[in-house]
Amino acid sequence: MNRAEIFSRQSGMTLAGAAAQTTKPLVLAIGVFDGVHLGHRKLLDTASALSAELNAVPVALTFDPHPRSVLHPAAPVVLLTDLAERVRLLKKYGAELVASVDFTADFAATAPEEFLDMLFENIPQLAGVVVGSQWRFGAGGSGNVQLLEQYAAQHNFVLKAVPELELDGAVVSASSIRNLIAGGRLQAANHLLGRSYALTGTVANGFGIAGSNLNCPTANIVPTAGVLPPDGVYAGIVEVALECYPAAVNIGLAPTYHRSNSQRRIEAHLLDFSGNLYGKQVRLTLGCYLRSEQCFASENALREQIAMDVKNIRSWAENLI
């Protein structure tokens, strides 16, 4: 396999492409970075500080798809962020450039020394590398920080191995954040993320009942990535085309109308919005949990409950300002 090919990626900037963006030295922060949580941001902060010392450009190197989804296809990872959202967050929190490696079975079989050689072939101006102190790489996870230290000494670049971030006595990790969200502990998840949790997705055709029967049109959001919290009604913010709208968000089975439907859905009623959202990319930030999902005896009862929900969401949104 050609070493340049192993770093190629159709849906993101290649490593060589990132190197070609500048003649300055580059500092590389390496990780999967799913969720870009506070632990990841510690790596980005370290890369930014090292870049300032070396008059270099901080670059984040991520992997897609998630390595566990390739190595253990029977148990794929439910991502917190898709690649596009990950790139946006990495740039927001310090990376000037982001490169993506296509993680394949062939790539997973690459020897760690060969992986490091490929870094140098693709980034001739590599001046620094920042990784987590427990990071493993190469076939079977046989590469570690000790190997990186030897390689850094031989090739004259600076290595920064960043200890794992601990909050409240536990390591901050994407897996722990996934578990917190799935368990409905959004505030605890937000604490580890360092921001409010958000899903990304595309608006698709729904059943059309809420708009026609209840005068409460909803956007049926099909997530491109994100862990769903427990079923229920939430206050949220929907961002579309750089505009943000408070929203009543129902996650679940819509039992009043679809008692036999077993597919969970995300339906968001955007307050004070008019227009067509079909096919639009949106970001849904989940706020507070309002109530459980219910099967109402009549449309009038559901309509009255929706009015109460909207009132509570307006109050919640006003407190955000």
Side-chain angles (χ1 to χ4, degrees), residues 189-208:
N190 293 345
H191 181 53
L192 303 188
L193 284 167
R195 65 180 186 280
S196 296
Y197 174 62
L199 294 153
T200 54
T202 304
V203 178
N205 289 327
F207 295 111

Side-chain angles (χ1 to χ4, degrees), residues 9 28-37 39-41 43-44 59-71 77-91 98-104 107 115 130-132 134-138 173-175 178 195:
R9 171 143 201 100
L28 200 62
I30 307 176
V32 178
F33 294 116
D34 183 34
V36 193
H37 53 61
H40 298 143
R41 284 158 62 177
L43 261 68
L44 295 171
V59 180
L61 176 62
T62 185
F63 303 89
D64 189 72
H66 194 290
R68 274 175 48 197
S69 295
V70 175
L71 298 173
V77 176
V78 179
L79 293 175
L80 294 169
T81 51
D82 61 17
L83 180 58
E85 178 71 358
R86 201 184 321 159
V87 169
R88 185 188 75 84
L89 290 168
L90 287 168
K91 289 183 175 180
V98 179
S100 174
V101 170
D102 193 3
F103 197 95
T104 64
F107 179 77
F115 170 75
V130 177
V131 296
Q134 302 302 311
W135 186 57
R136 306 300 293 257
F137 62 98
S173 69
S175 59
R178 294 185 194 104
R195 65 180 186 280

Side-chain angles (χ1 to χ4, degrees), residues 5 7 65 69 106 110 125 139 143 146 151 171 183 200 204 225 238-240 244 315:
E5 289 178 354
F7 280 105
S69 295
D106 285 340
T110 304
Q125 68 270 48
Q146 287 70 37
Y151 201 90
V171 173
T200 54
V238 173
E239 179 182 344
V240 55
C244 294
S315 176

Side-chain angles (χ1 to χ4, degrees), residues 2-285:
N2 186 301
R3 285 178 174 177
E5 289 178 354
I6 207 167
F7 280 105
S8 67
R9 171 143 201 100
Q10 294 182 354
S11 60
M13 181 181 289
T14 65
L15 199 55
Q21 297 293 304
T22 178
T23 59
K24 295 178 67 175
L26 300 184
V27 168
L28 200 62
I30 307 176
V32 178
F33 294 116
D34 183 34
V36 193
H37 53 61
L38 289 178
H40 298 143
R41 284 158 62 177
K42 186 178 178 182
L43 261 68
L44 295 171
D45 289 344
T46 302
S48 294
L50 181 59
S51 295
E53 292 178 18
L54 301 177
N55 191 28
V57 174
V59 180
L61 176 62
T62 185
F63 303 89
D64 189 72
H66 194 290
R68 274 175 48 197
S69 295
V70 175
L71 298 173
H72 306 286
V77 176
V78 179
L79 293 175
L80 294 169
T81 51
D82 61 17
L83 180 58
E85 178 71 358
R86 201 184 321 159
V87 169
R88 185 188 75 84
L89 290 168
L90 287 168
K91 289 183 175 180
K92 178 179 179 179
Y93 293 117
E96 290 188 29
L97 298 170
V98 179
S100 174
V101 170
D102 193 3
F103 197 95
T104 64
D106 285 340
F107 179 77
T110 304
E113 295 84 359
E114 185 178 1
F115 170 75
L116 295 176
D117 288 341
M118 287 186 290
L119 286 183
F120 262 86
E121 289 185 13
N122 283 269
I123 306 184
Q125 68 270 48
L126 184 65
V129 171
V130 177
V131 296
S133 60
Q134 302 302 311
W135 186 57
R136 306 300 293 257
F137 62 98
S142 55
N144 55 24
V145 168
Q146 287 70 37
L147 177 61
L148 262 174
E149 289 174 342
Q150 297 171 15
Y151 201 90
Q154 294 168 2
H155 293 79
N156 195 32
F157 66 84
V158 179
L159 173 66
K160 295 285 187 180
V162 180
E164 293 178 318
L165 178 64
E166 291 190 14
L167 290 178
D168 304 323
V171 173
V172 177
S173 69
S175 59
S176 61
I177 293 170
R178 294 185 194 104
N179 291 335
L180 288 171
I181 295 167
R185 299 179 60 191
L186 289 177
Q187 287 188 340
N190 293 345
H191 181 53
L192 303 188
L193 284 167
R195 65 180 186 280
S196 296
Y197 174 62
L199 294 153
T200 54
T202 304
V203 178
N205 289 327
F207 295 111
I209 294 174
S212 59
N213 293 23
L214 302 171
N215 193 28
C216 177
T218 60
N220 173 35
I221 300 174
V222 179
T224 53
V227 177
L228 292 184
D231 292 353
V233 177
Y234 295 80
I237 299 290
V238 173
E239 179 182 344
V240 55
L242 302 180
E243 295 289 336
C244 294
Y245 301 88
V249 182
N250 187 89
I251 297 176
L253 307 178
T256 300
Y257 293 102
H258 311 292
R259 293 181 176 86
S260 63
N261 181 17
S262 60
Q263 182 179 0
R264 298 180 76 196
R265 301 166 63 87
I266 306 173
E267 299 280 351
H269 170 55
L270 281 63
L271 278 56
D272 306 320
F273 173 85
S274 62
N276 188 344
L277 288 173
Y278 292 125
K280 299 285 188 181
Q281 300 292 315
V282 300
R283 182 179 298 107
L284 168 61
T285 299

